[in-house]
Amino acid sequence: MQRVYFCGILPRMANTIHRPEWHLPESMITLEAVFQNRRRFLRQLGFTGAGLLASPLVGCSKAETTAANPASGAKPVLSSTATNFVAVTAKGYPAPRNPEFDPKWTLTDGSVAARYNNFYEFTTNKERVHRLVDRFITAPWPVEIGGLVEKPMTLDAVELAEMMGLEERVYRFRCVEAWAMIVPWTGFPLRKLVEKVSPKPEAKFVRFETFFRPDQAPNFRDQNYPWPYTEGLRLDEAMNPLTLVATGIYGKPLPKQHGAPIRIVVPWKYGYKSIKSIVKIEFVAKQPTTLWESLAPDEYPFESNVDPGKPHPRWSQATERLIDSGDRVKTLPFNGYGSYVAKLYSKG
Ligand code: MTE
């Protein structure tokens, strides 16, 4: 059953999402009905561009259903446009690998990972993101850390990385769309930053916000989502030793398409929780609204832990496709990180 209500075409009104005229009761929704109504609604708004009509949400898109490798055929060769590795020059790369996160898994081919990205501010087409990031300016990059904390701070992403110290960790990464990769991130535990700013006792959640610059990323104008992209974690999730603030990948500063210059990586949750290109980290008392949750709460709830036993409303989450080899492998509960995080969710 199709359960998408908002598919990114609604006017933005003070962060309030209103159901569109075409909203149907769930019992009447079929894929075709949603598609046709969405077309009608877009036509009424005067949007007729094929790209817009075809554009998916993370959740409006089909899940991965075949083992086809998008990067099959000739292996891509890194070029300066495609990699965008040069946005930031910071000390500390490559960082020493933390032996606790040095599994003997085969890493995903970095050039494949750099050409298969979800970054909706640019496009909903994963294979085009790396070609659309040229106008995106990622330095200087002030990051504001505040809200319910004793010691708020605003500092540049490079300064922040230098202040916190960097390490490398190999993590599995699982997208809700059922593709996966194994990559070496460079960064520091979010926990260290939380301790530095000293949250007040009322702080129970951390809210993250991405940049909003319509002149630098085309989809802000083309896709009517409740921008900017926002995400959130419970404070205890933010404090878990696995939660990483990433500033690099494959031994170099993050290329733009991977979320330069600073992002979060939460490896036991679906990939959309790992918000990219963060400008603001805010400590709050109430569970924050996230972009995906506001678009489709039944499909992208706040918690979103990887769970092979709980299908997405429109596809199975039992397996995942590795983006470079095309191999389909079993998905693990908490993406294999249960020993670190299962206790956060055990009742009683
Ligand atoms: N962060 C922002 N700001 N915008 C996005 O569209 N997409 C998310 C997440 N973070 C996204 C984002 C999703 S759905 C995934 S799967 C991962 O980024 C993809 O990260 P990658 O492109 O580095 O593999």
Side-chain angles (χ1 to χ4, degrees):
M1 177 183 289
Q2 171 73 303
R3 305 175 80 190
V4 173
Y5 300 142
F6 300 120
C7 284
I9 51 172
L10 295 173
R12 183 168 185 234
M13 294 172 67
N15 288 329
T16 310
I17 299 287
H18 293 273
R19 283 189 174 169
E21 283 165 26
W22 49 263
H23 173 73
L24 297 170
E26 225 173 273
S27 56
M28 290 173 63
I29 291 178
T30 63
L31 264 172
E32 181 63 12
V34 167
F35 183 69
Q36 292 305 340
N37 279 289
R38 186 176 175 215
R39 284 186 85 92
R40 205 169 309 130
F41 183 67
L42 283 166
R43 237 177 278 123
Q44 281 162 9
L45 289 178
F47 291 124
T48 51
L52 199 109
L53 287 169
S55 61
L57 275 179
V58 163
C60 292
S61 65
K62 284 193 286 206
E64 304 271 353
T65 50
T66 69
N69 183 351
S72 62
K75 280 237 161 137
V77 177
L78 291 179
S79 76
S80 57
T81 357
T83 59
N84 296 292
F85 272 130
V86 288
V88 183
T89 49
K91 291 181 217 146
Y93 296 90
R97 189 169 289 178
N98 181 333
E100 191 180 341
F101 303 104
D102 190 15
K104 301 298 163 224
W105 304 326
T106 307
L107 296 182
T108 297
D109 181 329
S111 61
V112 175
R115 284 172 170 73
Y116 194 75
N117 304 98
N118 270 333
F119 208 162
Y120 279 67
E121 288 84 341
F122 293 90
T123 171
T124 51
N125 179 338
K126 286 183 253 307
E127 284 152 69
R128 289 190 67 230
V129 173
H130 70 91
R131 287 194 245 124
L132 294 173
V133 293
D134 283 348
R135 271 187 296 145
F136 179 31
I137 298 166
T138 58
W141 191 274
V143 186
E144 191 187 328
I145 307 148
L148 299 170
V149 294
E150 302 293 350
K151 300 176 205 156
M153 56 171 92
T154 299
L155 73 178
D156 191 82
V158 174
E159 268 181 87
L160 183 61
E162 286 175 4
M163 177 173 91
M164 304 308 291
L166 297 176
E167 62 180 64
E168 186 173 74
R169 296 180 175 198
V170 173
Y171 278 168
R172 307 159 66 98
F173 187 91
R174 169 60 155 86
C175 178
V176 72
E177 295 164 332
W179 56 264
M181 59 185 186
I182 297 171
V183 296
W185 300 104
T186 307
F188 58 87
L190 177 59
R191 179 189 193 113
K192 276 168 87 175
L193 183 59
V194 174
E195 283 162 358
K196 232 182 183 57
V197 294
S198 301
K200 295 182 177 168
E202 313 90 89
K204 302 287 181 234
F205 294 88
V206 189
R207 178 183 178 275
F208 305 94
E209 190 176 307
T210 296
F211 69 100
F212 179 69
R213 300 182 195 159
D215 56 324
Q216 293 181 25
N219 232 14
F220 286 122
R221 275 193 293 255
D222 296 346
Q223 192 87 52
N224 208 346
Y225 286 170
W227 304 116
Y229 195 110
T230 50
E231 256 309 331
L233 293 172
R234 292 178 354 202
L235 188 59
D236 59 349
E237 294 174 329
M239 293 290 283
N240 187 273
L242 283 181
T243 309
L244 199 70
V245 179
T247 58
I249 190 168
Y250 293 100
K252 300 190 175 148
L254 285 170
K256 295 178 185 179
Q257 64 270 33
H258 276 302
I262 192 161
R263 70 178 292 172
I264 296 291
V265 179
V266 195
W268 74 96
K269 292 181 179 281
Y270 290 119
Y272 56 90
K273 300 292 292 183
S274 292
I275 179 174
K276 296 174 169 182
S277 303
I278 295 168
V279 294
K280 195 169 178 183
I281 302 178
E282 197 181 359
F283 291 75
V284 294
K286 291 204 184 113
Q287 183 174 303
T289 308
T290 70
L291 180 134
W292 289 117
E293 200 188 13
S294 67
L295 289 168
D298 297 345
E299 305 201 353
Y300 311 106
F302 184 84
E303 189 171 278
S304 290
N305 295 327
V306 175
D307 184 353
K310 189 170 170 206
H312 181 279
R314 290 181 283 125
W315 57 81
S316 164
Q317 294 292 22
T319 63
E320 61 205 44
R321 180 185 59 85
L322 295 173
I323 57 170
D324 57 349
S325 64
D327 291 349
R328 189 156 282 276
V329 298
K330 279 190 174 168
T331 292
L332 300 172
F334 299 110
N335 204 21
Y337 295 102
S339 60
Y340 286 91
V341 297
K343 57 184 178 293
L344 296 178
Y345 310 101
S346 56
K347 305 206 164 66

